[in-house]
Amino acid sequence: MRNLVLSAIKVSTLEPAYNEQTSDPASSNGPQECIVAAAFDVDRGLIFAASEDAQFGVRIWRTSVDPCEWDAPVLCGFFSSIDPKVLSLRVIGESAQLVLVTRSGDTVTWQLDESGELISDPDIVGSVDSGILSVEWSPDDTLLVMITGDENLILMTSTFDVLSEAPLHTEDFGEDAPINVGWGAKETQFHGSIGRAHLKASPQSPTQIQENPSDGGLPRVSWRGDGAYFVVSSLARQTPQSSKGRVLRVYSNEARLQSTAEMIAGLEPSLSWRPSGNLIASTQKEIRAGPLDTQRTGKHGVVFFERNGLPHGGFNLRDDRNSRIKHLAWSSDSNVLAVLIERVDGDVVQLWTTGNYHWYLKQEISAPLSTRFTSINWHPEVSTRLLLTSPLQIIQQDYTWETCAGAEDTGCVGVIDGQKILLTPFRTQNVPPPMSSHQLLVNTPTDVLSGSLFLSQVPPHISLSQSHDLLAAVWQEGHVMIWALRTRITPGGGAVMNPNLIWSANLPRELYYCRQVLVSSENDDSEHRTISVAILGSDGSGNDRIVNHDFEHVGSSLESISATRSRTISLQQKNGRLIPHEVPGNLAWQAPDGSIFQVHREEESYSQICSFTEHCLSSQRVDAQLFVGLSAGGKIYAAIPNAESALLASNVNSFTVASGFVIFTTTSHDVQFAPLERVVAILTSGQGNGILSPTGDENKTGELASQAWQKRRVERGSKIVTAVPSTMSLVLQMPRGNLETINPRPMVMEVVKNDLDAGLWRKAFMACRKHRIDFSIIVEHNQDAFMAGIPAFVEQVEDVDYINLFLTSVGRSQLPAEVVADVCDSVRQDLEKRDLTKYVNSILTAYVVKSPPDHEAGLALLLHLRGVNPSLVEEAVKYIIFLVDADRLFDTALGMYDFSLVLMVAQHAQKDPREYLPFLRELRALPQYYQHFKIDDHLKRRAKALRSLSLAGPEYFQEALDYLDTYQLYDEALAIWQGTDKYMDVLGIYGAWLFDRHEYHQAATVFVEASDARRAMISYERALQWQELFELCLKEQLDGDEITEIAYRIAVDELFSKKRFSESARVSLDYAKDVRQAINTLAQGNEFSEARRIITLHAKPELIDQVLLPCALDCRTQIGDDIHEMREQLRKQAVRLTELRIKKVEEPVDAFYNVDDPTLHNVDVMTDVSMAPTTFTRYTVAPSATSKASKRSSKTKRKMERKLGSGRKGTVDEEEYILKSVAKLVERCATTQGEIKKLLPHLLQLSQAHREEGVALQIEFDHLQCELRTAIEDIWKKPDESTPVDSWATRMQEKAKEQLVEPLQRVSKPEMSTSEWSLKLLQRKLTS
C-alpha cells in the first residue's frame, strides 16, 4: 500500500534552449537536432546522450548525474554520418569506452578518461554493410547482440569478436522443445455438444493472423538480468502455412535457440525481459478480423511470457485514446515497469507496479510541452532512477516509495491507482489490497487557459491530513484538489466514507514539475478551522518553490472552501522535500543535504532550525521540536533544534510515529518501539553516545537500541502501513502484498496507562482482557491511586465474573505477597459493603487467591451465609470447591473442629460417605481436646496437636512425651511445659536427643538445666570442654582418683591425639598432677619455653636430660625432613614447568588447540564414518569413530572436575596445577618458618650438640628460602612485550589470547614471608 512518488528531478536542456514551440520536432518548424539516446556512466556519475542532426551527424553530450546540478549538457564529441540514425549508446566500464551503434551499420567507440572526457577520436571498430536493425548489450556489458539488415543474428563480445552468426528466421522450436507422448490429445478429449467436427481441417486457406498496421517491422532484443538468456521479437516470414505475425524466440548467451513462442494476434514490437527473470513483457493490441481489420476493440495492454514461450497473464492499459506503445523498460530491481506511450497530443510514460496479483498505475509522466519522448532508461544500480530524453532535453527523475497515511483517529491510507485513489480507514475496516473501502475517482483536470485536458491523468502525489479527515492531490502540470472524506468511524450501516470535493485550482505557470502536496488543519475553536495546503515544485532554474494556500472555515460541515491567502516561498536549493506535519504552523522543508528549514508563511521566508546527518526521503515532524527521518540507506535519525541529529538504528525499512513511540521495522524482521520522551531527553541533554549515537559505532548503537527498546518479531520483510492508536493496532504489509494487523504490547500498554491515569477502570480492564495482559498492571501502574480508587473500580467493572478474573490474576502475579493481600482485602471489604449476596463468589475469591490463602475465613463466610441466606450456600460451596481442591477444603473445615461444615463440604464435593463418616464418628466419641489432638495429628499440624494433647490431661503426658520425641517438637514442648513439674522430663528427653545427634555442647547445657550432672559431665567430656567438665566435677565433689582418671583420659587420649598440646599439658599438670607427662606433651608440640618454665617451677631438672634434649633433637630432625622434602618438590616442579613452557613455544598450535574447554564436554563432533584423526578431533568425547551418548551424569561430572584439577602429567592443566602447588609450598614454608623460630633459641641453649644442629637447621632453611624466592621470580616473570606489528596474524593472535587465559593469569604470584626468624648468635657462629 505504498505510492511511488517523485523525490528529485533534473532537466538538462540543449543550448540554444527550446523556443517553446509545440510543433513536432520532425517538422520543418521544429528544431533540427534531436536527442535520441542516453546512457549512464555509473563509475563516473555521468550521463552521455547522443543527438541526431542532418547537418552535424551524431553529436555526443555529457552532463552530471547529480540531481542538484541543472546545467546544460556539454558537447564532448561527434561522429559524421550520412545516415545519423542512432540505435544504441552504451558506456563500457571495464574498457572505459563509449560505444555508439548506428542504423547504417557502424559501431563507433570513444575512449574515456577518469573525468569522463573523450580522449580519442571516434573509432569505427566495425561496420555491417546491410545495416543494423536492432542491437542490445548484455547487463554486464560482456556480450552484444545485433540483428543485421539481412536478418542475421550476430553475437559479439565486448571487444567485438564474433561468437556466433546465424539466420534469425528458422523453423526449429529450440532446444527446449516439448516432448509429445500422445497423452491428452485434443482428438481424444470430450467436447460436449459441439462434437469433434471443429477439429477437422478446413478445406479453405489456413487462418491468417492480421498484421498490425502500426508495427514498424523492426526486431527487438532484450536480455535477462543475469545475462544467461536473451529474447528476440521479430516479424515472421509469411508463408502459405503461416501468417506474418510477430514471434518471440529465446536464445542462450551462446546464441543457441532455446524456445519459440506461439504467434499471438496483435503482438507489438515492445519487449523487455524482467531482470529477475520470471517474465518477458511485451504489448498486444487486439484487432478485429474482417473488413475493418484496422479498428480497435478497446483492449490494449501488456502481456507476459515465460522463458519457454508460453503466455503468463498481463494487464490492460487504462487509455481510451488512440495511442501506440513505443517501449517497455523494467527497473533494475524488477519492481517498476515503465511503459512509453505515444499519443496524438504528446507522449506519456506510465509507471506500473504490482502487488497481490494486481497492477497499479502509480505515475504518468507527460512529455514537456506536448513533445515526444525519444528514449527511456533505468539506472542499472539506483533502482528508482529513470532517465528520459526528449528532442532537446535530458530528464532524470528519482522516485521513492511512500505510504500515504492520514489522521490517527481514522487510520485512513490512500493508494494511487491511475485515476482512482483507493482509500481504507483501518480503524473500522481492514480491507486487503488490491481491494479498498472506497475508490475515489479523480476526474482529469482541465487547463483553464487552453480549455483542454491535462496530458497527465494520474496525480503524482497525494496527501492525507494527520489531524483531520482531508485529502489533497496534485498533478504534474500544476492542478490541486482537496476533498473532505467524511469517514464514518461509528458502527452502523451506510458507506464507510463519503468524499466531497471542497476546493480545486490551477497553480501559477511559474511553478513547474509539481511533485509534492501536504494538507494540514487546525481547530482554532469549536467553530473556526484553519486549513492549509502546501505544494512543492520547481521554478525555471530548478530551485524549489512552495505555493501555500490558507483557508479559514467556519462551521462543522465542509461543503466548499475558498482560499483566503496565497503565498509563494522561493528556495535557493533544488530537490528538497516538505516534511509532513499536523498543524499549518509547523510547515518545514528539508534540503538535499539534510538541513531542515522552518517555512514562515506570513513573511514568505525560511530559516534553518536543525538538520539530519543525511537526506531523509521519508520524514515526519512529530511536534514543534522533534523531527524523525529515514534515509535511503535504511538509517533512521532524530533531530531537534539547536542539537545534532542522532542515529536511532541503521537497518530500518519503514517507520511511523504513534502512541508516544517511534515505531520502525528492521531488516532483522522485528518491529521496535523507541519512546519519544526518552529520545527527546537524550537529544536535549546531548548524551548522544548512549542509546543514540550521532558519530559512534553504528553496530554498537543498533545493539544498544535493541536492548533498550521494546521489540517484537514480525514476518520477514514486513513494512509498516499505518498505526491506529485508538484501536491499539499496527498494520503491516508483507512482501507479497497481504496485510497483517497486530496489537503490539507497547501500544496497548500506552492506552491502558492513559485510561488508568484518567480513571477509566473498565476500559483499561477490558483492554487488558482482550489483549491478554496481566491484570496486575492495573495495580502496578499506580498502586496508591488504585487503592484509593477501588470503590470506583468495583463500580465501573461491576460484573462478578470480571472481578473474579481480576482477583485471580492479581493473586497469581509477581506482586509482593503483602500487596496482593492488601488488594484482595480492600476489594473484599468494598464488596461486603455493597452487596454480600451478589458478590459472595468474588469475596470467596479474595479470601482464596491472596498469599497465604485464608481458607478458614472463606469457610467461616459460608457458615455465616448458612444462617443468613441458606439458598446461597450451595452455590457458594460449589464455587469455592471449584477454586480450591476439595480435599484441601475438607481438611480445612475439619481443622476448624466444626463437623457440620465438614459434612457440607464433603457432600458438595461428592466424596464417598464410606470414606469419611466412620472417621467422623470415631472423632465424635473422643473427649474434646483429645479429639482436637487427633484432628490436628491427622492434618499433620504437629505443634498444634501437641498443644491440644497437653490440654487433654495428665493421663496423656506420656503419650505427649512419645509424640514430641517422635516428631522432634522439643522447642514447642519446652514452651508448653515451662514452669510446670513436667518441664524436667521434657529437658531430659531433649538432652538425650541432642546427645544422640553428637551435639554434645548443646546436650551438656540441657543436662545442666535439667540438673542431670552425670550425663552433663559425659557430654562435656565428649565435647572436649575440659574447663566446664572439671568445674562440674569439683562441684559434684568427685574423689581424687576419679578426677585423675578423667584427666588422663582427656589429656592423653583426646587432646594429645588432636595436637592440642598446650591444653593437654595443662590438664595433666593441674588435674593429673603428672609433671613428666606435661613436659613430654609440651616438648612434642615444640613448646619448649613453656616446658622449661614448668620444670623450673616444679624443680624437676632431671626432666631436661630425660625429656627435653631428646625431644628437641627429634623436632629438629622432623623439621629437617620437611625442608628436604620441600626442596625436592620445588626442584622437580621447576624443571617440569620449564619443559612445559619450552614445549608451548615449540608447538604453539598444539598448545592452542589442546585447551580443554569445559563447555565442550557435551559436544561430540564424531560421525559414524571412520576417518583419520585431525587437529579438531581432540574435542571429541568418544575415542572411537562411533559416536556415543554425550550426556554426563552428575557423578561423572564431579569425577571430571576432580580429574581436571588433578594435574596429571601430560594434561592441559598440568602447568596450572604446578603453579598452585608452588603457591601452597610458599604457605607451607611460612608455617615451617614459625616452627623453626620457636625451636632455634632452645637449640642454641640446650647443649653444644643442639647448637650445631641449630646452625645446620638455620642454614638448610635459609637455602630453601633462597631457592624458593628465586624460583618464584623465574616462574612468575612476565615475558618481554615488544610492540606488535599491525597485521592480520597479529590481530588473530590477540583474539586467541583473549580466548585463552594463561595459567600465570589464573594463579597469582605468592609473596614470601619477610619476618625475622633466624638468630644472629647462630649466624656469628656460622661466620666464625
Side-chain angles (χ1 to χ4, degrees), residues 152 164 168 447 458 524 552 715 724 817 923 1053 1226 1233 1276:
N152 284 335
S164 174
L168 177 62
D447 190 343
V458 181
D524 300 330
E552 298 291 340
E715 187 175 337
V724 188
L923 291 176
D1053 297 341
V1226 172
Q1233 176 180 312
W1276 271 272

Side-chain angles (χ1 to χ4, degrees), residues 198-386:
H198 69 288
L199 297 176
K200 298 179 181 180
S202 174
Q204 301 176 2
S205 61
T207 302
Q208 299 290 324
I209 296 179
Q210 289 292 333
E211 182 180 356
N212 191 343
S214 61
D215 192 340
L218 295 177
R220 297 285 181 90
V221 183
S222 180
W223 283 84
R224 201 170 76 171
D226 58 358
Y229 299 94
F230 63 90
V231 60
V232 178
S233 173
S234 62
L235 281 176
R237 293 175 179 175
Q238 187 171 3
T239 64
Q241 290 78 22
S242 62
S243 60
K244 191 176 182 180
R246 200 161 265 279
V247 177
L248 299 183
R249 293 183 176 89
V250 178
Y251 294 84
S252 68
N253 56 7
E254 298 175 353
R256 294 203 300 264
L257 181 62
Q258 300 297 305
S259 62
T260 303
E262 294 182 1
M263 194 175 299
I264 297 178
L267 193 64
E268 296 183 324
S270 302
L271 185 68
S272 181
W273 198 327
R274 197 174 190 177
S276 60
N278 59 338
L279 295 175
I280 301 172
S282 185
T283 58
Q284 180 187 17
K285 178 186 290 186
E286 295 187 4
I287 57 177
R288 294 178 182 175
L292 300 178
D293 55 3
T294 59
Q295 297 183 8
R296 296 181 54 205
T297 62
K299 291 185 179 180
H300 196 186
V302 177
V303 292
F304 299 123
F305 297 88
E306 300 177 8
R307 187 177 69 85
N308 56 13
L310 296 179
H312 191 90
F315 61 91
N316 290 327
L317 299 176
R318 303 168 192 175
D319 181 23
D320 56 354
R321 287 176 282 181
N322 188 23
S323 61
R324 182 175 70 91
I325 299 178
K326 297 171 60 177
H327 191 65
L328 298 176
W330 287 99
S331 62
S332 59
D333 59 358
S334 302
N335 288 333
V336 185
L337 176 62
V339 183
L340 175 55
I341 302 176
E342 179 183 310
R343 293 174 179 169
V344 176
D345 49 0
D347 291 356
V348 295
V349 174
Q350 293 183 349
L351 302 183
W352 294 79
T353 63
T354 184
N356 265 18
Y357 306 100
H358 175 78
W359 285 89
Y360 296 86
L361 176 56
K362 292 297 185 181
Q363 288 282 342
E364 191 170 79
I365 310 165
S366 60
L369 301 176
S370 301
T371 57
R372 303 293 181 187
F373 285 124
T374 57
S375 70
I376 177 173
N377 292 290
W378 288 98
H379 196 282
E381 294 182 358
V382 183
S383 59
T384 55
R385 176 167 291 173
L386 182 64

Side-chain angles (χ1 to χ4, degrees), residues 952-1117:
E955 62 273 15
Y956 296 102
F957 178 70
Q958 186 59 43
E959 184 178 355
L961 292 180
D962 296 339
Y963 190 80
L964 72 91
D965 190 41
T966 302
Y967 295 107
Q968 302 172 6
L969 303 174
Y970 302 105
D971 294 337
E972 294 82 357
L974 292 174
I976 293 173
W977 278 286
Q978 188 175 12
T980 65
D981 56 347
K982 307 296 183 184
Y983 185 66
M984 294 299 177
D985 298 333
V986 176
L987 285 175
I989 294 177
Y990 184 32
W993 178 75
L994 291 173
F995 189 88
D996 293 339
R997 289 172 55 87
H998 303 288
E999 298 181 17
Y1000 301 117
H1001 172 69
Q1002 298 290 343
T1005 305
V1006 173
F1007 286 137
V1008 170
E1009 182 72 14
S1011 300
D1012 192 345
R1014 178 59 59 181
R1015 289 200 288 180
M1017 286 189 290
I1018 295 175
S1019 299
Y1020 279 135
E1021 182 178 347
R1022 293 290 183 86
L1024 295 181
Q1025 292 179 306
W1026 56 273
Q1027 293 94 340
E1028 292 83 356
L1029 171 62
F1030 288 109
E1031 178 190 4
L1032 190 57
C1033 289
L1034 295 176
K1035 283 183 179 180
E1036 294 296 325
Q1037 299 179 355
L1038 297 181
D1039 55 16
D1041 294 339
E1042 191 171 359
I1043 292 176
T1044 301
E1045 181 182 356
I1046 294 174
Y1048 275 115
R1049 194 165 56 243
I1050 288 291
V1052 178
D1053 297 341
E1054 299 294 341
L1055 295 176
F1056 186 85
S1057 63
K1058 292 181 171 53
K1059 296 185 179 182
R1060 294 164 63 174
F1061 301 109
S1062 298
E1063 296 178 71
S1064 177
R1066 176 63 61 86
V1067 173
S1068 299
L1069 187 64
D1070 292 348
Y1071 298 103
K1073 308 300 182 180
D1074 191 343
V1075 177
R1076 185 183 185 88
Q1077 178 64 33
I1079 297 301
N1080 183 61
T1081 301
L1082 291 172
Q1084 292 291 334
N1086 196 10
E1087 300 291 342
F1088 293 98
S1089 297
E1090 179 66 13
R1092 295 174 68 181
R1093 185 190 69 82
I1094 294 174
I1095 290 174
T1096 305
L1097 178 65
H1098 291 275
K1100 300 285 185 177
E1102 68 275 5
L1103 294 179
I1104 295 178
D1105 296 333
Q1106 298 174 4
V1107 179
L1108 286 188
L1109 294 179
C1111 287
L1113 292 177
D1114 292 341
C1115 186
R1116 181 262 179 271
T1117 303

